[in-house]
Amino acid sequence: MARVERYRRPAGVPGSTLLWLVLLWPVLFAAPAEAASDEVLTVLSWGGAYERAQRAALFEPYTASTGRRVEVVQYDGGLDGLRRAVEAGEVPWDVIDMTRSEAMAACEEGLLRPLSPALLAPAPDGTPAEQDFLPGSFGRCAITHTIFATVVAYRRDAFPGKRPTTIADLFDQQQFPGPRALQRTPAVNLEWALLSYRVPREELYGLLSTRRGLNLALERLGELDEIHWWEAGDTPPRLLAEGRVVMASGYNGRFFDAMVNRRVPIEILWDGQVQEHETWTIPRGSPHPEAARDFIRFATTTERLAELARHIPYGPARHSAAVQVTTHPDSGVDMRLHIPTHPLNAERALAKDEAWYARTLGRINDYFGDWLATREGE
């Protein structure tokens, strides 16, 4: 108001016209309301079938709803790149799709922004998000959106008679001969190796905390004659499709895509599946933190999580979403039967102890790396 009182009307401009200009000035010359939607939200995710599912269920609907374009950059895990970006003050990503164990480690290092469950939408019936999400879904810097599993898949035509039924069969080269593909990481491989000795599930991580347990697991892995080590998630389905291996570890969603969308003759072995939480996080130094929080709220609604599970069989982290999962949009396959958390699949599942990995990640990686270097140097 003080600015208007000091303003002198230009000669020849009627008072009534000046009044309308003053009243309409914020409307005529303010930035367009949709200016915020011109921001590009950069999401670091995992590529392949998973990214295609996210585009259909999350990214494209979010752009349609907000006008804000989503740019996806492929993520292959690990904290080195994030650490360097945060230390340099040049973080190019707004949101990162991380496993919970990595999110816990990154949060401990101060690489992520805190996230509150208060930003999440309630269930359609009004149930608060904190009651609707699965236990353990909320970390200091991460919010779980889905549950995926690392499983073993095998070529059906490689074993026309007896087929693998337990995780111990991964290590049985007498009945199930042929090359294997395993992820180039200690995680899951160590657990499966000890399970093959019939170590009880509740004792796995206690035993792996000892040098004896680690040596037992690595000895079992060392008994395999030919291992193709993989790093990118699309590698194991490709190796199986090409017939270069007969059994492979990998993510259940990638194997589902190969079976249903590309008709690769493979079967998933659910015994010993290792379930893990997949989370949304915001890196410290995110260029658009408010837009990142807005996206996480959108992407974790009941409707979006149920839709994501229709495109790729990962279990929604919300109870209200799990009961809404139906069929695959293209094939009509009942997706509930392919989700890791379905009772038939989860009967002998192992929940990855992500807190243990967050505490021991560096030490276990070094130990595994030394063993692998020795094996490959032989």
Side-chain angles (χ1 to χ4, degrees):
M1 183 64 69
R3 288 171 54 195
V4 174
E5 291 173 350
R6 291 197 300 267
Y7 187 82
R8 298 182 63 184
R9 183 172 79 244
V13 178
S16 59
T17 302
L18 179 61
L19 177 61
W20 277 107
L21 284 171
V22 171
L23 292 174
L24 291 175
W25 185 275
V27 177
L28 294 173
F29 297 99
E34 66 272 12
S37 67
D38 291 339
E39 296 175 354
V40 175
L41 188 80
T42 303
V43 177
L44 196 58
S45 189
W46 296 90
Y50 182 55
E51 183 184 321
R52 291 195 296 274
Q54 287 184 312
R55 285 188 183 278
L58 306 179
F59 302 151
E60 292 171 3
Y62 180 71
T63 297
S65 174
T66 65
R68 184 177 289 116
R69 185 166 63 85
V70 176
E71 181 179 291
V72 187
V73 180
Q74 188 163 336
Y75 182 51
D76 288 324
L79 300 183
D80 290 345
L82 174 60
R83 193 179 293 115
R84 287 193 298 269
V86 170
E87 289 173 354
E90 298 178 355
V91 176
W93 319 291
D94 297 299
V95 181
I96 305 179
D97 192 347
M98 304 180 80
T99 61
R100 186 170 64 174
S101 54
E102 285 199 334
M104 292 169 70
C107 187
E108 189 67 25
E109 286 191 39
L111 303 177
L112 302 175
R113 288 177 176 266
L115 274 178
S116 170
L119 70 86
L120 303 174
D125 66 358
T127 300
E130 290 175 272
Q131 298 175 28
D132 192 32
F133 274 74
L134 297 174
S137 292
F138 307 124
R140 187 160 57 91
C141 306
I143 292 172
T144 297
H145 55 83
T146 53
I147 311 296
F148 73 95
T150 302
V151 296
V152 168
Y154 61 90
R155 283 193 66 99
R156 294 194 301 268
D157 53 5
F159 312 116
K162 184 178 180 181
R163 292 184 177 178
T165 57
T166 71
I167 196 61
D169 293 335
L170 173 66
F171 302 93
D172 188 344
Q173 297 176 106
Q174 298 301 314
Q175 293 194 75
F176 307 105
R180 271 64 164 161
L182 297 176
Q183 189 174 11
R184 197 182 186 89
T185 174
V188 180
N189 292 321
L190 299 180
E191 289 93 324
W192 284 344
L194 291 188
L195 284 176
S196 74
Y197 289 116
R198 298 186 179 179
V199 174
R201 282 163 168 72
E202 61 272 17
E203 297 179 14
L204 283 177
Y205 291 102
L207 186 54
L208 285 174
S209 297
T210 68
R211 188 173 293 274
R212 173 176 171 270
L214 286 172
N215 287 336
L216 277 173
L218 294 175
E219 284 174 15
R220 182 65 98 197
L221 287 168
E223 293 172 3
L224 293 174
D225 294 332
E226 185 178 352
I227 302 176
H228 294 252
W229 297 104
W230 62 267
E231 296 183 16
D234 60 351
T235 301
R238 177 174 55 79
L239 292 175
L240 284 168
E242 294 171 356
R244 295 173 59 191
V245 300
V246 296
M247 303 177 76
S249 69
Y251 307 127
N252 73 285
R254 302 276 188 159
F255 289 139
F256 173 87
D257 177 66
M259 289 188 295
V260 173
N261 296 328
R262 292 183 279 134
R263 307 295 181 185
V264 179
I266 60 175
E267 195 74 35
I268 288 178
L269 176 63
W270 287 106
D271 182 66
Q273 60 147 308
V274 179
Q275 294 183 358
E276 189 165 1
H277 287 224
E278 193 68 19
T279 72
W280 289 121
T281 66
I282 301 176
R284 185 157 61 87
S286 163
H288 308 110
E290 288 304 318
R293 281 186 279 270
D294 180 64
F295 169 78
I296 291 173
R297 178 182 174 88
F298 177 88
T300 54
T301 60
T302 296
E303 178 187 11
R304 290 300 103 207
L305 289 181
E307 184 64 16
L308 180 64
R310 292 187 63 223
H311 289 267
I312 196 161
Y314 293 152
R318 301 187 77 139
H319 297 293
S320 60
V323 298
Q324 292 188 19
V325 177
T326 56
T327 57
H328 189 260
D330 299 324
S331 67
V333 169
D334 187 343
M335 296 299 283
R336 293 170 297 182
L337 300 177
H338 295 271
I339 288 173
T341 49
H342 188 281
L344 292 177
N345 300 331
E347 185 178 357
R348 292 180 58 80
L350 172 69
K352 184 178 179 181
D353 190 334
E354 291 153 331
W356 182 84
Y357 271 105
R359 292 194 308 270
T360 64
L361 193 60
R363 179 174 64 87
I364 298 300
N365 279 339
D366 289 344
Y367 203 82
F368 179 78
D370 291 343
W371 172 83
L372 195 59
T374 301
R375 175 187 170 96
E376 293 178 336
E378 293 175 350

